[in-house]
Amino acid sequence: MDYLENLFSVKGKTALVTGGATGIGKMVATALINGGATVLIASRKGEACVAVAEELNALGAPGSAVGFAGDVGTEEGIAALVADVKARTDALHILVNNAGVTWGEPLDTFPHMAWHKVMNINVGGLFTLTRELLPLLDAAASDTDPARIINLGSVMGTQPVAEGAYSYSASKAAVHHLTRILANEFARRRITVNAFAPGPFQSKMTAFATGSDEQAAKVGMGVPLGRIGSPDDVAGATLYLCGKGGSYISGAILPLDGGLSVYSSMGLFAHALE
């Protein structure tokens, strides 16, 4: 194993990626398979997960994928998902809590139920699934190679912006804070907990604004680095946090956002100096 492979390989590890059939979840799964991991892909649409697993296995990558149905929206669904994972592995080296939903509507008509649905899945489902999988994560953890958890946050949980997605933005801020809480509590178990805070990427969730390359380019004009995110951006961050190179990182909210999280148009004295 050469130097770079030693730092970023996930060969021999087993991972679970929720919501892994589309968007950033699929990008994460692709990265892990190319890094040598066995990846369990689960979402509410089991057939889609099976199809994506077959697609990824056809790449000839050093890892492999298995797809099946899994719902983190109810306690019963989480229990069934945990049972499926336990039937497939005795140890879980990597958990990627990517499954999530959004709801966009103007302030005047934003429904109360949108808070229950979004917070229940994006925060409650993430918490309960993580807790129930702790025995498998503990079995994979060691002093030199901790088990890894990556939660999917968002730049909308970092910046005070909603654009009609009030419950989504608040849920992602909660994911960031919960990530830090769990990083603190799980350190003694030799489990690292970090989060991605993505900006705009092409996905099913953002298809209304990035569905075409032309739309994506327009969205990218609002990003400091001048473009939306790419699969390689997700892959690099995933392999960093899950490989040896990221074994000492815990409690980080990694901004995969092209500089949006630190962007400010405010100039305190600029106008006075013109």
Side-chain angles (χ1 to χ4, degrees):
M1 188 178 291
D2 64 23
Y3 182 73
L4 290 179
E5 187 178 2
N6 183 53
L7 282 178
F8 303 113
S9 172
V10 289
K11 185 176 181 180
K13 294 190 175 186
T14 300
L16 170 65
V17 182
T18 64
T22 61
I24 290 177
K26 183 178 179 181
M27 297 176 199
V28 168
T30 303
L32 291 171
I33 288 168
N34 279 305
T38 297
V39 183
L40 310 179
I41 300 172
S43 77
R44 287 175 295 171
K45 297 182 179 179
E47 292 182 359
C49 293
V50 171
V52 168
E54 292 176 350
E55 175 189 334
L56 297 181
N57 287 332
L59 296 176
S64 62
V66 178
F68 53 95
D71 183 9
V72 300
T74 66
E75 286 190 69
E76 295 78 14
I78 291 171
L81 175 55
V82 171
D84 280 345
V85 173
K86 287 182 176 179
R88 290 173 166 85
T89 184
D90 296 324
L92 188 65
H93 302 85
I94 300 163
L95 168 61
V96 182
N97 286 307
N98 172 75
V101 295
T102 189
W103 192 296
E105 198 163 331
L107 176 66
D108 291 345
T109 58
F110 197 86
H112 183 76
M113 66 170 291
W115 287 94
H116 172 73
K117 180 176 182 178
V118 173
M119 297 296 287
N120 175 57
I121 293 176
N122 293 5
V123 185
L126 180 156
F127 173 84
T128 303
L129 178 65
T130 299
R131 183 190 64 196
E132 296 304 305
L133 288 173
L134 277 175
L136 294 184
L137 290 162
D138 285 336
S142 70
D143 288 342
T144 57
D145 190 10
R148 319 297 169 90
I149 298 173
I150 298 176
N151 298 323
L152 260 291
S154 171
V155 67
M156 294 178 75
T158 301
Q159 295 289 77
V161 58
E163 295 186 336
Y166 298 100
S167 55
Y168 176 82
S169 294
S171 76
K172 292 306 182 178
V175 167
H176 296 173
H177 194 57
L178 183 58
T179 294
R180 297 185 183 101
I181 290 171
L182 297 183
N184 182 47
E185 293 192 5
F186 293 177
R188 64 181 180 273
R189 306 176 82 125
R190 302 302 180 258
I191 300 172
T192 68
V193 189
N194 296 289
F196 290 159
F201 282 77
Q202 283 186 314
S203 69
K204 184 178 180 181
M205 188 175 288
T206 65
F208 69 95
T210 65
S212 70
D213 290 340
E214 182 179 0
Q215 285 179 300
K218 288 182 179 179
V219 172
M221 291 173 63
V223 177
L225 288 181
R227 65 172 177 86
I228 68 168
S230 74
D232 283 346
D233 298 321
V234 172
T238 299
L239 295 177
Y240 166 55
L241 288 182
C242 294
K244 182 178 179 180
S247 62
Y248 203 54
I249 308 298
S250 195
I253 312 301
L254 191 61
L256 303 179
D257 63 10
L260 280 170
S261 61
V262 293
Y263 173 73
S264 174
S265 59
M266 180 179 69
L268 295 178
F269 307 110
H271 295 302
L273 297 176
E274 288 179 351

